[in-house]
Amino acid sequence: MERSLENALQTFELEDGFQIELIAGEPLISDPVDMEIDEFGRMYVVEMHGYPLDLSGSGKIKLLSDTNGDGRMDQSTVFAENLVLPTGILRWKKGLLVTDPPHVYYLEDSDGDGKADIKDIVLTGFAVSNPQHNVNSPRLGLDNWIYLGHEPAVSTNTFQDLLGDRGSEIHFPSYPDGDRLPQNAGGRSVRFRPDSFELEVLASRTQFGHTFDKWGHRFVINNNNHIIQDVISARYLNRNPYLLVSQSTESISDHGNAAEVFPITKNPEHQLLTDLGVMTSACGITTYLGGAFSSEYDMAVFIAEPVSNILHIDLLSDNGTLFKASRQHPNKEFLASTDSWFRPVNMYIGPDGALYLLDYYRQYIEHPEWMAEDVVNSGALYNGTNKGRIYRITPKGTKPLDWSNKLKLGDFTNAELIEKLADPNIWWRRNAQRLLVDSKISEIPDELFEMAKNNQKPEGRVHALWTLEGLGKTTPELIINALLHKEAGVRKNAIQIAELHLHKYPELETALLQLISDNDRKVRFQLLCTLGFLKSEAASLARGKLLFGNIEDEWMQVAALSAPFEENKTLMQATLVNYQQDNPAYGTLVRRLSAMTASSLDKDAIMDLINKGTNTNSGYESHWQAPLLNGLAQGLQNKKIQGPTFRPAENMLLTACFENPSIQVRQASLELLKVLGVTESSQSKILKEKAKIIAANKVLSEQERVIGINFLSLFNSEENKILFKSLLRPIEPNDVQLAALKAISRIPDISAAEMVVELWPTFTPAIREEGLNTLMVNNDRVSILLDAMENGIIQPNNLGWPRSVRLMNNSDIPLRTRARLLINKEEKSIEEILQQYQASLTLNGTQLKGQTVYHENCAICHKMGQDLGKAFGPDLATMKNRRPENILSDILLPNLSIADGYDLWALEMQNGESLQGLIASETPTAILLRFAGGQERSIARQDIRSLTVMEMSGMPSGLENNINPQKMADLLAFILKTK
């Protein structure tokens, strides 16, 4: 039940030592999602009234004032209106930048009447999809760039007409010849500089909100992953297109993704995808840099969780290249409310160091795409749209706010602004830097140079350095001096500024090289990234020292290898010389290096590596040979290779398959031969006969026999069909049977499919899985599979969810029709399906039986906590507090609502291969595709011909044919952990 302004504060439980005040509420404001306080103390609030479905232009910017000085806003003016779904605001020049997709606007009041009379489109082209995934949160970085929160457009089925705009090229409409980013910036975040029309896509993405710490480390967010570090920038990854890195971020929470939360809400109302008890709507991430809290909060990060009616806090600690985010308390939130309408969505650090909290105050915060139909149709979607609150959180005893319309920062002299660069509060530091850079002063005051040298005020020094950079007045002496500062954050920023001037000031290289042994890993990481822009021998040696001195750190490896490919060619030899067999990081590095070489298609370099990887002469240590060959296979996997290109390597690999003393090298040689192909020759004929003997020899180990089978599969499997079939018997080890079945599958005609159907009754579950893969290779085989299903040999419940999806969406219409009839038996309406299973909600289910249902139907695609299942769809453990009817709907009708990040994508590769899966992560140069069963594959963007979203869930409909109502009750009991 909603609470009035008068008793709202009574609903809160707040961390000891703090106080919370209401500073603004209805009717002055409603639906607040972001705010800004300018240099004169004018408070602007973004109101998004249109959420979730109203695109009529109801959004506004309000200008608030406290006219009587009591610390509470009492006057409200509409500064701007007719916005659609505004999501963020930032003070810029004499006005404001406002994100209102598809645009970023500049709004200015030029005549001083408190209302914007200038409205220009600065950027455009962003998608208009579900509002929580649209472009948002403009934030000014230390480096004078403006960063926009952004992620891919989210598919919507129910509201496609309203929210189906996937965007266009991102560009400056006032500068048509300027930079353009691909459609919707490829679903990644963006940074830009309006003055110079500079525009860049970042390597990472974020949902609603992002934040920086005081040294410029950026943190992003996802609705169920509340704190993610943005580790490596796109400008580094873009240098080397051959480096397969599919993610640039890392989750840093030590209490997990979809972390447990501790709400105190009375009578909460939750919808279809609401995972009660865990993070499900994390947003508004804000690093506390206000300087008014105790030192315990110097590394604090606040996260809003509107569904659970809480404000969560994590405390950061150093963790090498990364940070670690830990709870403040094991089972208590910083702020929680008993009011289910309390919807914290964003925060702001004010000029007084207070943490301002924006409360959207709605009955429902979830989007109707993922809500129960009865709620959507009830007319309650906009309950609370006339309400909204802003709270001020400060240490106990803090006086009421006194800054409203009373600040004079905008009238400060340059000397006064420079002094504010060292203020304990980021609000003053950031705004002072902005005003100084905007002033474009030609004569730089001595005070600014002095601040840029100040050893006692590290924050002030960094802001001064970036201010000078923004004014174009940086000097090499200032940079070199800052590289020696005792504070790691100063050194890290000095390296970044030096990076911008490497060619103008060659002496910077010498100074940078002195930091190779810096005692801070974050500094060393930044140094390694920056040195990738230098081509000297000294820089190359330094990169090598940094790499091998920190080789266990995956991100240091990525930083080193992000240097231009030509600069990394000498690393392989150095890695092999330094190789440590007992350190797995060396194997990882070798694989990465050889994959890069393979991806470059440098024939001579590849041939040289193949020679190294298969050589058995004295002095060669075999322990690095297998990862080297595996990397080559990975790098060449998606390439279109001309027949004779690598023929000279064939003999080396053929010999290695049988004669190399290392079983791992023999296996890796085979994998590489699969990619390169094999020609018929006198040598290959001899080896084929040898392989037949090995494959059939039951005395040999399974590994050796599998190598024999796999070798034979490189050739025409038809001639060995009888041998392979003889190995498909239950008395043979599973690995041998699987290898034989895969070999049979390579026979291009339908005989392999016919053999699978013939032997199906004798296959164990593991072999049946591979048998089904054989039947799914092409439509001729699919037809035989459907025949077998019609004849009752293979049952629909044998298929599993991913195959059912593929069959029911086959591009061949007759096959698709047959598949749907066989899998669904009879087409049922949504209402019929749900009605059939209503009994599941009242039947007594048992966890033990439900676990069996889970293993038979769900484990192939869904994890259940840390120990069970495969990571493809959502983790079912996060649903333990969901309403049973909502879980039931998601299981039976998966395409009705597709959770964020679980769209299926179709890829067509340059080599003709077709793939389907989820995009688990991506960078400017690669994507990580996740397949059903949890397998993953990194794919270079240059190897992709087309990439399209399939607008469907990876989970098939028709599950009711596999799970009856009683089994569904058991499954629900298992998921919900009921007795």
Side-chain angles (χ1 to χ4, degrees):
M1 184 176 71
E2 63 180 296
R3 294 294 191 107
S4 65
L5 292 176
E6 288 69 29
N7 61 17
L9 293 176
Q10 299 171 17
T11 71
F12 292 126
E13 287 187 7
L14 178 63
E15 176 68 15
D16 290 344
F18 287 87
Q19 63 188 27
I20 184 167
E21 311 159 75
L22 178 71
I23 67 145
E26 66 270 8
L28 291 184
I29 59 160
S30 55
D31 291 336
V33 295
D34 202 2
M35 63 176 277
E36 177 70 290
I37 300 169
D38 74 7
E39 59 270 25
F40 296 104
R42 294 175 296 211
M43 180 178 178
Y44 302 87
V45 177
V46 179
E47 296 184 336
M48 188 204 292
H49 300 299
Y51 181 83
L53 300 173
D54 177 9
L55 305 186
S56 65
S58 58
K60 298 176 182 177
I61 308 295
K62 291 280 187 67
L63 180 57
L64 303 187
S65 300
D66 170 18
T67 61
N68 61 14
D70 67 351
R72 184 164 169 174
M73 302 298 154
D74 50 51
Q75 186 178 86
S76 173
T77 303
V78 177
F79 179 79
E81 54 189 339
N82 299 319
L83 301 171
V84 181
L85 292 169
T87 55
I89 190 170
L90 177 72
R91 179 67 168 171
W92 183 250
K93 302 296 184 185
K94 298 179 181 180
L96 302 163
L97 291 172
V98 174
T99 49
D100 185 25
H103 310 306
V104 177
Y105 288 111
Y106 174 72
L107 305 176
E108 183 184 324
D109 169 19
S110 65
D111 56 13
D113 66 352
K115 297 186 177 184
D117 47 69
I118 295 174
K119 184 179 182 181
D120 295 329
I121 298 175
V122 179
L123 279 179
T124 191
F126 293 98
V128 182
S129 68
N130 186 318
Q132 63 182 299
H133 305 284
N134 289 341
V135 63
N136 63 83
S137 308
R139 301 290 182 257
L140 182 62
L142 263 176
D143 56 7
N144 304 304
W145 285 79
I146 296 167
Y147 289 74
L148 298 175
H150 189 233
E151 68 173 0
V154 172
S155 298
T156 173
N157 294 322
T158 311
F159 306 103
Q160 180 68 26
D161 291 342
L162 271 178
L163 302 173
D165 177 3
R166 289 189 165 271
S168 58
E169 287 186 325
I170 309 297
H171 64 283
F172 294 100
S174 63
Y175 190 51
D177 295 331
D179 293 335
R180 287 177 175 259
L181 303 183
Q183 182 186 20
N184 199 37
R188 301 197 297 280
S189 293
V190 169
R191 71 174 189 169
F192 69 109
R193 302 181 76 166
D195 285 350
S196 53
F197 299 106
E198 293 174 85
L199 179 63
E200 293 181 4
V201 64
L202 304 183
S204 62
R205 62 190 187 187
T206 190
Q207 193 160 348
F208 191 85
H210 53 140
T211 191
F212 297 93
D213 75 356
K214 63 182 177 181
W215 306 123
H217 299 104
R218 182 168 175 258
F219 303 93
V220 298
I221 198 165
N222 181 266
N223 56 14
N224 64 358
N225 192 348
H226 66 283
I227 184 163
I228 305 164
Q229 185 173 341
D230 191 353
V231 184
I232 189 164
S233 298
R235 64 182 180 275
Y236 304 130
L237 296 177
N238 287 334
R239 295 181 302 206
N240 187 355
Y242 305 126
L243 174 61
L244 285 176
V245 177
S246 50
Q247 58 186 26
S248 62
T249 61
E250 186 164 332
S251 177
I252 60 171
S253 166
D254 69 358
H255 41 294
N257 304 342
E260 188 173 6
V261 294
F262 302 95
I264 61 171
T265 316
K266 294 180 180 177
N267 303 314
E269 297 185 63
H270 300 291
Q271 300 305 310
L272 292 179
L273 290 185
T274 300
D275 300 338
L276 185 61
V278 297
M279 285 284 180
T280 187
S281 61
C283 60
I285 184 170
T286 301
T287 305
Y288 179 73
L289 301 173
F293 295 1
S294 67
S295 60
E296 179 185 0
Y297 295 89
D298 288 349
M299 298 280 282
V301 181
F302 290 94
I303 297 99
E305 226 298 339
V307 163
S308 295
N309 321 110
I310 63 169
L311 178 61
H312 182 78
I313 184 174
D314 274 353
L315 301 178
L316 298 180
S317 58
D318 194 64
N319 188 26
T321 302
L322 304 173
F323 290 93
K324 180 172 67 174
S326 305
R327 295 183 187 277
Q328 183 181 29
H329 302 296
N331 56 3
K332 180 177 176 289
E333 301 298 344
F334 182 84
L335 173 69
S337 174
T338 58
D339 183 1
S340 65
W341 287 40
F342 171 61
R343 304 296 190 181
V345 294
N346 219 335
M347 283 152 281
Y348 183 88
I349 297 170
D352 51 0
L355 184 69
Y356 290 84
L357 180 63
L358 288 86
D359 175 10
Y360 199 58
Y361 208 79
R362 288 279 192 98
Q363 182 176 8
Y364 299 108
I365 197 73
E366 297 90 344
H367 195 274
E369 180 79 18
W370 300 290
M371 293 173 70
E373 188 175 357
D374 60 330
V375 177
V376 176
N377 294 332
S378 69
L381 277 184
Y382 294 93
N383 283 357
T385 192
N386 60 337
K387 301 180 184 300
R389 291 91 191 261
I390 299 177
Y391 297 98
R392 177 177 183 252
I393 299 173
T394 54
K396 278 185 177 177
T398 303
K399 295 179 180 179
L401 72 85
D402 59 359
W403 47 258
S404 178
N405 293 321
K406 295 179 182 177
L407 298 181
K408 303 298 181 184
L409 183 65
D411 296 326
F412 275 24
T413 64
N414 288 334
E416 290 172 319
L417 288 173
I418 292 165
E419 188 61 30
K420 283 297 179 183
L421 293 176
D423 194 274
N425 183 350
I426 187 62
W427 186 92
W428 294 92
R429 299 201 302 271
R430 184 178 291 137
N431 280 290
Q433 178 178 332
R434 174 180 62 81
L435 291 169
L436 285 166
V437 172
D438 281 352
S439 70
K440 294 184 168 53
I441 47 180
S442 55
E443 292 294 326
I444 304 298
D446 290 340
E447 293 92 337
L448 186 54
F449 287 113
E450 290 305 313
M451 183 64 78
K453 301 174 188 175
N454 194 313
N455 282 323
Q456 306 307 313
K457 299 178 178 180
E459 292 91 346
R461 187 168 188 171
V462 165
H463 280 273
L465 287 167
W466 280 112
T467 300
L468 287 166
E469 179 61 34
L471 292 168
K473 301 295 182 180
T474 303
T475 68
E477 293 78 18
L478 285 173
I479 299 171
I480 291 171
N481 192 264
L483 291 172
L484 303 175
H485 196 279
K486 63 181 180 180
E487 172 58 57
V490 176
R491 300 196 301 276
K492 176 246 185 191
N493 277 274
I495 295 169
Q496 290 176 304
I497 295 172
E499 181 182 301
L500 304 173
H501 302 281
L502 292 174
H503 300 297
K504 185 178 181 181
Y505 303 127
E507 62 267 36
L508 291 175
E509 178 176 347
T510 302
L512 289 172
L513 294 177
Q514 303 305 309
L515 296 175
I516 292 175
S517 300
D518 194 282
N519 60 11
D520 187 275
R521 194 182 298 180
K522 292 179 178 63
V523 173
R524 298 198 300 272
F525 173 75
Q526 181 58 56
L527 178 64
L528 190 47
C529 289
T530 295
L531 290 178
F533 288 112
L534 292 170
K535 298 183 178 180
S536 68
E537 182 179 352
S540 179
L541 289 172
R543 289 198 301 271
K545 289 181 180 178
L546 284 165
L547 170 61
F548 293 116
N550 304 272
I551 195 168
E552 290 84 4
D553 187 327
E554 176 185 356
W555 290 108
M556 292 293 281
Q557 287 197 24
V558 171
L561 301 187
S562 72
F565 177 64
E566 292 298 318
E567 298 298 312
N568 279 316
K569 285 189 172 180
T570 59
L571 269 181
M572 177 62 87
Q573 186 58 35
T575 304
L576 301 186
V577 169
N578 291 290
Y579 198 92
Q580 297 175 15
Q581 184 177 0
D582 57 351
N583 188 340
Y586 278 88
T588 300
L589 180 58
V590 168
R591 275 192 296 274
R592 281 181 163 151
L593 286 166
S594 59
M596 280 167 43
T597 300
S599 188
S600 74
L601 292 179
D602 182 333
K603 179 184 175 181
D604 292 339
I606 294 170
M607 289 295 299
D608 180 61
L609 291 183
I610 293 174
N611 181 56
K612 284 184 169 70
T614 56
N615 199 320
T616 56
N617 291 339
S618 176
Y620 269 81
E621 300 290 341
S622 63
H623 40 254
W624 51 256
Q625 290 181 304
L628 185 149
L629 294 172
N630 285 330
L632 289 174
Q634 179 188 8
L636 290 169
Q637 183 178 17
N638 303 318
K639 301 297 181 183
K640 205 169 184 178
I641 301 171
Q642 299 299 325
T645 305
F646 295 106
R647 286 290 175 258
E650 201 173 300
N651 287 342
M652 289 186 281
L653 292 168
L654 287 171
T655 301
C657 285
F658 292 93
E659 297 181 10
N660 196 285
S662 165
I663 192 78
Q664 289 80 17
V665 172
R666 288 154 65 183
Q667 291 169 334
S669 298
L670 261 175
E671 290 302 312
L672 186 51
L673 279 172
K674 282 183 184 178
V675 175
L676 297 178
V678 187
T679 54
E680 293 282 356
S681 66
S682 56
Q683 182 189 15
S684 67
K685 288 179 181 178
I686 294 171
L687 293 176
K688 278 194 288 184
E689 294 304 316
K690 185 175 183 179
K692 289 178 185 178
I693 297 170
I694 291 172
N697 190 344
K698 292 181 174 59
V699 176
L700 297 176
S701 69
E702 291 177 36
Q703 284 182 308
E704 290 177 289
R705 295 180 67 194
V706 166
I707 287 176
I709 296 167
N710 288 341
F711 182 82
L712 292 172
S713 73
L714 297 177
F715 303 90
N716 180 7
S717 293
E718 176 71 33
E719 61 188 49
N720 295 301
K721 185 162 58 174
I722 296 175
L723 170 63
F724 294 148
K725 186 176 181 179
S726 71
L727 299 175
L728 288 174
R729 293 184 295 170
I731 61 172
E732 292 285 1
N734 269 5
D735 286 347
V736 170
Q737 290 189 69
L738 288 171
L741 189 49
K742 289 176 182 178
I744 290 171
S745 185
R746 293 172 70 94
I747 301 173
D749 59 25
I750 61 173
S751 60
E754 292 171 339
M755 191 183 300
V756 167
V757 173
E758 175 191 345
L759 298 176
W760 184 262
T762 69
F763 284 173
T764 60
I767 311 305
R768 284 189 171 190
E769 274 295 302
E770 188 55 42
L772 289 168
N773 291 339
T774 299
L775 292 167
M776 296 287 289
V777 166
N778 56 45
N779 282 347
D780 288 338
R781 295 188 184 183
V782 166
S783 181
I784 292 174
L785 167 61
L786 297 178
D787 290 343
M789 292 172 65
E790 287 173 345
N791 294 327
I793 300 171
I794 297 176
Q795 300 301 317
N797 60 6
N798 295 141
L799 297 174
W801 293 349
R803 294 189 193 91
S804 297
V805 170
R806 288 177 58 191
L807 288 170
M808 291 190 293
N809 291 279
N810 194 295
S811 58
D812 183 281
I813 294 176
L815 290 178
R816 182 169 68 215
T817 302
R818 286 180 67 194
R820 291 186 177 188
L821 288 172
L822 287 165
I823 293 170
N824 290 325
K825 299 296 185 183
E826 55 183 280
E827 292 288 343
K828 297 178 182 178
S829 68
I830 291 174
E831 292 77 12
E832 288 174 326
I833 294 172
L834 288 175
Q835 184 60 42
Q836 178 185 346
Y837 279 81
Q838 287 305 299
S840 300
L841 302 175
T842 55
L843 289 170
N844 290 324
T846 63
Q847 285 191 42
L848 189 60
K849 291 181 179 178
Q851 184 167 355
T852 301
V853 178
Y854 162 78
H855 282 297
E856 291 175 348
N857 297 276
C858 314
I860 188 66
C861 289
H862 294 275
K863 288 188 71 65
M864 186 69 178
Q866 294 298 314
D867 303 323
L868 301 177
K870 304 287 187 180
F872 182 68
D875 186 341
L876 299 186
T878 64
M879 301 182 183
K880 62 184 179 182
N881 291 306
R882 290 267 303 282
R883 288 162 52 182
E885 56 268 35
N886 294 341
I887 299 175
L888 179 66
S889 176
D890 287 348
I891 292 173
L892 297 173
L893 305 166
N895 286 316
L896 197 60
S897 60
I898 305 171
D900 176 28
Y902 293 101
D903 292 295
L904 267 184
W905 291 80
L907 279 74
E908 184 180 354
M909 308 299 292
Q910 297 288 5
N911 64 2
E913 186 179 9
S914 296
L915 302 170
Q916 288 182 9
L918 307 181
I919 295 181
S921 61
E922 59 181 324
T923 67
T925 57
I927 67 169
L928 185 66
L929 198 66
R930 181 174 293 151
F931 305 102
Q935 301 92 348
E936 295 179 339
R937 178 168 161 186
S938 290
I939 300 173
R941 290 186 185 273
Q942 62 183 353
D943 295 333
I944 300 173
R945 179 176 298 164
S946 67
L947 175 64
T948 55
V949 66
M950 298 178 68
E951 307 285 4
M952 62 179 297
S953 168
M955 177 175 167
S957 54
L959 193 62
E960 66 272 14
N961 296 317
N962 299 345
I963 303 177
N964 63 33
Q966 180 58 61
K967 288 184 177 180
M968 185 66 74
D970 295 333
L971 178 61
L972 290 173
F974 175 63
I975 294 172
L976 297 169
K977 300 300 182 186
T978 54
K979 295 182 180 179

